[in-house]
Amino acid sequence: MAMKSKVLIVGGTGYLGKRLVKASLAQGHETYVLHREEIGVDIEKVQMLLSFKQQGAHLVTGSLNDHQSLVKVVKLVDVVICAISGVHIRSHQILLQLKLVDAIKEAGNVKRFLPSEFGTDPARMENAMEPGRVTFDDKMVVRSAIEESGIPFTYISANCFAGYFLGGLCQPGFILPSREQVRLLGDGNQKDDIATYSIKTIDDPRTLNKTVYIRPPQNILSQREVVQIWEKLIGKELLKSSISEQEFLAIMKEQDYAEQVGLTHYYHVCYEGCLANFEIGDGAEEASKLYPEVKYTTVEEYMTRYL
């Protein structure tokens, strides 16, 4: 049996990062979690790191702003996975990965790098609107650096995170589902297993230097279909209203920059259907087909937690 790769998670205490740490450990990988020395008095982050250590992870000190510390840590592992934030309402740090690329290039031992993507495929968003396109443009800058450096990679396109989109019935600014009403974006008809699938790819030759889309067939749903699932679960039809494309854009322009970036992404997903309006072609794979043994969580199963 082939040895499993040693994995370094950068951004391991974030929303997705902590899930990647758990998935890596669960799949039997020797797992390293990068953390800064200057955690300060963030007790929740300290407790999380200690819980990772108790589960068998190695805590390693380093910083994206300290090149030599990064090189030293990278030399310990075979695979690097980055999950730093690309969300403007929190902290947009995508280009910090260029420092990680430099460290990986100098270390020279990394067999696979998974950069912080995990959302809409930026390669398909060349016509995205301002200001939201900055996320996709920055990710493409990182991709170019990876490929120019000859670093083996896998790009994970996971579309929408259930915790953000499903809980609020795909409505911006909501993370819990209403039992009374819902506002549909347009006509509502455009269509956490992310960590598990991501870890599955790292030792798989079929995913080397490819984009892997996470599109389980039962979860390719429109906003209206998500709402219908929720209505079925609560046994009640919600009062529905809708917001037109023009109304949405007008409201978006009144928001601050960070909110506009996020709302632009909602626009492309809910009005243009950018996540499902294409076929997966050559040079890419679909995760649920590659790994049929993974029992993924359906939207209906996920929504039952809100009952």
Side-chain angles (χ1 to χ4, degrees):
M1 184 177 178
M3 290 285 292
K4 288 181 176 286
S5 291
K6 298 177 182 179
V7 179
L8 171 67
I9 310 291
V10 179
T13 58
Y15 179 81
L16 178 59
K18 61 189 177 186
R19 291 165 169 81
L20 287 165
V21 173
K22 292 177 182 177
S24 180
L25 290 168
Q27 293 182 41
H29 293 276
E30 189 171 342
T31 304
Y32 295 73
V33 182
L34 183 72
H35 70 93
R36 299 189 303 272
E37 277 189 315
E38 62 278 12
I39 295 176
V41 293
D42 190 338
I43 188 65
E44 290 189 3
K45 186 171 289 187
V46 170
Q47 295 284 8
M48 188 184 304
L49 288 168
L50 291 175
S51 75
F52 292 156
K53 186 176 180 181
Q54 290 172 342
Q55 294 170 57
H58 303 282
L59 306 184
V60 288
T61 304
S63 169
L64 290 171
N65 294 315
D66 182 344
H67 178 72
Q68 289 307 316
S69 75
L70 270 186
V71 173
K72 182 179 178 181
V73 171
V74 166
K75 284 183 176 180
L76 297 173
V77 300
D78 308 302
V79 173
V80 177
I81 304 177
C82 188
I84 62 176
S85 175
V87 182
H88 275 75
I89 56 173
R90 292 187 173 180
S91 56
H92 183 73
Q93 301 175 326
I94 293 299
L95 291 181
L96 277 178
Q97 292 180 103
L98 295 175
K99 298 180 178 183
L100 189 53
V101 170
D102 288 340
I104 292 170
K105 184 178 179 181
E106 181 174 327
N109 60 294
V110 170
K111 299 176 183 177
R112 193 81 62 100
F113 178 38
L114 277 63
S116 184
E117 297 232 352
F118 307 108
T120 304
D121 182 0
R124 295 185 176 274
M125 300 305 293
E126 64 271 14
N127 296 317
M129 289 195 310
E130 297 285 3
R133 68 170 298 125
V134 65
T135 304
F136 310 122
D137 290 344
D138 285 357
K139 288 182 178 181
M140 289 305 294
V141 169
V142 175
R143 283 192 180 192
S144 294
I146 292 168
E147 293 169 28
E148 288 169 9
S149 298
I151 297 169
F153 64 85
T154 297
Y155 303 138
I156 304 293
S157 177
N159 301 319
C160 299
F161 284 37
Y164 286 108
F165 271 76
L166 292 184
L169 301 177
C170 311
Q171 299 172 102
F174 295 86
I175 57 172
L176 291 174
S178 171
R179 290 175 177 261
E180 302 298 330
Q181 59 188 7
V182 62
R183 199 170 198 189
L184 300 174
L185 305 184
D187 59 12
N189 282 319
Q190 297 291 344
K191 290 189 184 288
D192 265 359
D193 308 300
I194 295 171
T196 298
Y197 282 127
S198 297
I199 299 299
K200 281 277 188 183
T201 69
I202 64 178
D203 285 332
D204 189 342
R206 297 173 297 176
T207 64
L208 179 62
N209 296 337
K210 289 184 178 181
T211 297
V212 175
Y213 295 94
I214 302 179
R215 287 169 59 171
Q218 291 186 61
N219 289 353
I220 305 301
L221 302 171
S222 67
Q223 182 190 17
R224 187 176 290 275
E225 288 169 326
V226 171
V227 171
Q228 288 170 347
I229 288 171
W230 179 239
E231 289 175 328
K232 173 188 170 186
L233 289 172
I234 65 174
K236 177 182 178 181
E237 185 172 344
L238 301 184
L239 177 64
K240 300 177 186 67
S241 61
S242 64
I243 178 171
S244 70
E245 181 177 346
Q246 293 72 26
E247 290 175 306
F248 185 90
L249 292 174
I251 292 171
M252 185 181 79
K253 289 177 181 178
E254 296 174 356
Q255 310 305 310
D256 63 29
Y257 177 80
E259 291 287 345
Q260 285 190 44
V261 170
L263 289 172
T264 304
H265 297 172
Y266 268 91
Y267 172 81
H268 289 301
V269 170
C270 295
Y271 289 96
E272 295 185 343
C274 68
L275 302 180
N277 62 359
F278 62 91
E279 295 296 324
I280 297 173
D282 295 337
E285 302 287 349
E286 198 286 307
S288 66
K289 292 181 180 177
L290 286 178
Y291 313 113
E293 71 277 10
V294 175
K295 172 66 171 66
Y296 66 85
T297 305
T298 67
V299 169
E300 183 165 349
E301 289 167 343
Y302 187 90
M303 295 295 287
T304 58
R305 69 187 62 194
Y306 298 109
L307 294 174

